[in-house]
Amino acid sequence: MLLETPVTLGVQLQPQHTPYPAIREAVARAEGMGVDILFNWDHFFPLSGDPDGMHFESWTELAAWAEQTERVQFGALVNCNSYRNPDLQADMARTIDHISAKGGETGRFIFGTGSGWFERDYTEYGYEFGTAGSRLDDLAAGLSRIEARWEVLNPAPTRRIPVLIGGAGEKKTLRIVARHADYWHSFVGPDDLPRKISIIEDWAARDGGDASRLVVSNEIARRSDEEVDALYDSGVRLFTLALRGPDFDWASVERWLRWRDERNAAGA
């Protein structure tokens, strides 16, 4: 049984092809509109458009968002485990968590992570690309180190930092999700989601995980209303919407915020 939670909307502001002042303005606008979570991504080069176009680094942005914002949760969709020592990642996450805590409240940082896949990031920045399997093994080992480091840092994180894991591989990724994740993010369609969720629950039962705390997340850009409704019926409760600047599509954000509110009102 998955965690039953209100519908939330996450907006991913892609850190590409957009001057930072426009990203800063977009962060403020999204928070003011009532978006629940803001995301960027953890790459070093654009993923679409001009491959050598303007691009900014993920964690530096997230620290700035922590200071800039007051209410919205935020994180990477997703961080790449390969680029930084796991204990360093834990320390960075804890620090951003504290920066984001305002007025005596707890922090708002979500630790979204994955095993990495964009080979250019690795080759041009001097990281070993390895294989999909070796990168997933590194992620599993890294998450255990991150969680252990959070237990001994001084000061400790302001809250139990939620972990979001992206990916849908059944033998390794979903096993890592079952063991470590509070959120599972994928692009899996509604027809296959129930089967994937059952695999997560099976891994949790075998490894002693707790799938009952899991919130299922999925991307809705370029999906029809019928597909998004079907994702909801399949258990998705965090819906993410990727936006590319500099001309961010705020009309789509308004539309999906209305849908979120209607869904939550109907389920109240």
Side-chain angles (χ1 to χ4, degrees):
M1 179 71 69
L2 298 175
L3 180 66
E4 186 57 42
T5 184
V7 173
T8 53
L9 180 67
V11 169
Q12 184 186 53
L13 301 174
Q14 299 176 354
Q16 61 176 3
H17 308 305
T18 306
Y20 193 75
I23 295 175
R24 183 187 298 114
E25 181 180 340
V27 168
R29 182 167 182 175
E31 182 174 44
M33 292 172 71
V35 167
D36 298 293
I37 305 173
L38 285 173
F39 294 109
N40 63 11
W41 66 37
D42 187 20
H43 294 286
F44 304 131
F45 302 95
L47 298 185
S48 63
D50 179 1
D52 295 312
M54 187 182 303
H55 196 278
F56 291 103
E57 194 275 327
S58 172
W59 282 85
T60 313
E61 268 198 359
L62 293 174
W65 294 5
E67 189 62 59
Q68 176 186 347
T69 58
E70 298 290 334
R71 175 198 56 80
V72 70
Q73 295 193 85
F74 62 96
L77 194 64
V78 290
N79 167 70
C80 178
N81 176 71
S82 304
Y83 303 155
R84 303 161 193 91
N85 171 284
D87 293 86
L88 173 62
Q89 293 179 59
D91 207 341
M92 294 163 68
R94 180 280 310 258
T95 301
I96 290 177
D97 168 69
H98 275 267
I99 294 170
S100 69
K102 305 288 180 71
E105 300 292 331
T106 57
R108 294 169 284 114
F109 181 69
I110 295 174
F111 184 68
T113 194
S115 60
W117 62 272
F118 190 37
E119 188 170 6
R120 186 185 181 192
D121 286 342
Y122 288 79
T123 56
E124 294 210 23
Y125 274 64
Y127 298 106
E128 181 181 351
F129 188 53
T131 66
S134 68
R135 294 192 300 275
L136 282 165
D137 290 341
D138 289 344
L139 175 62
L143 280 165
S144 294
R145 286 175 58 183
I146 288 164
E147 291 168 351
R149 180 59 57 184
W150 281 337
E151 292 295 322
V152 299
L153 285 170
N154 184 15
T158 69
R159 63 172 180 167
R160 181 183 175 277
I161 296 176
V163 174
L164 179 153
I165 296 174
E170 298 174 7
K171 293 182 178 180
K172 291 191 175 185
T173 302
L174 296 188
R175 187 175 191 178
I176 297 170
V177 169
R179 184 174 297 170
H180 298 282
D182 300 282
Y183 296 89
W184 168 52
H185 181 78
S186 77
F187 298 87
V188 175
D191 291 343
D192 201 29
L193 262 179
R195 187 181 66 84
K196 295 283 189 178
I197 292 169
S198 71
I199 292 170
I200 295 171
E201 292 172 336
D202 288 345
W203 277 124
R206 291 173 62 176
D207 292 347
D210 182 11
S212 68
R213 74 172 192 263
L214 190 68
V215 176
V216 179
S217 170
N218 207 295
E219 173 65 32
I220 59 176
R222 296 179 296 279
R223 290 196 190 272
S224 68
D225 290 6
E226 292 75 18
E227 285 180 294
V228 176
D229 287 338
L231 286 171
Y232 176 88
D233 292 338
S234 298
V236 176
R237 290 298 179 269
L238 168 57
F239 295 84
T240 66
L241 180 64
L243 296 186
R244 175 176 169 176
D247 298 318
F248 296 104
D249 183 5
W250 297 112
S252 67
V253 177
E254 291 175 345
R255 172 193 172 202
W256 289 113
L257 284 171
R258 287 193 300 271
W259 180 87
R260 176 201 68 184
D261 294 343
E262 290 167 359
R263 277 292 186 177
N264 286 334

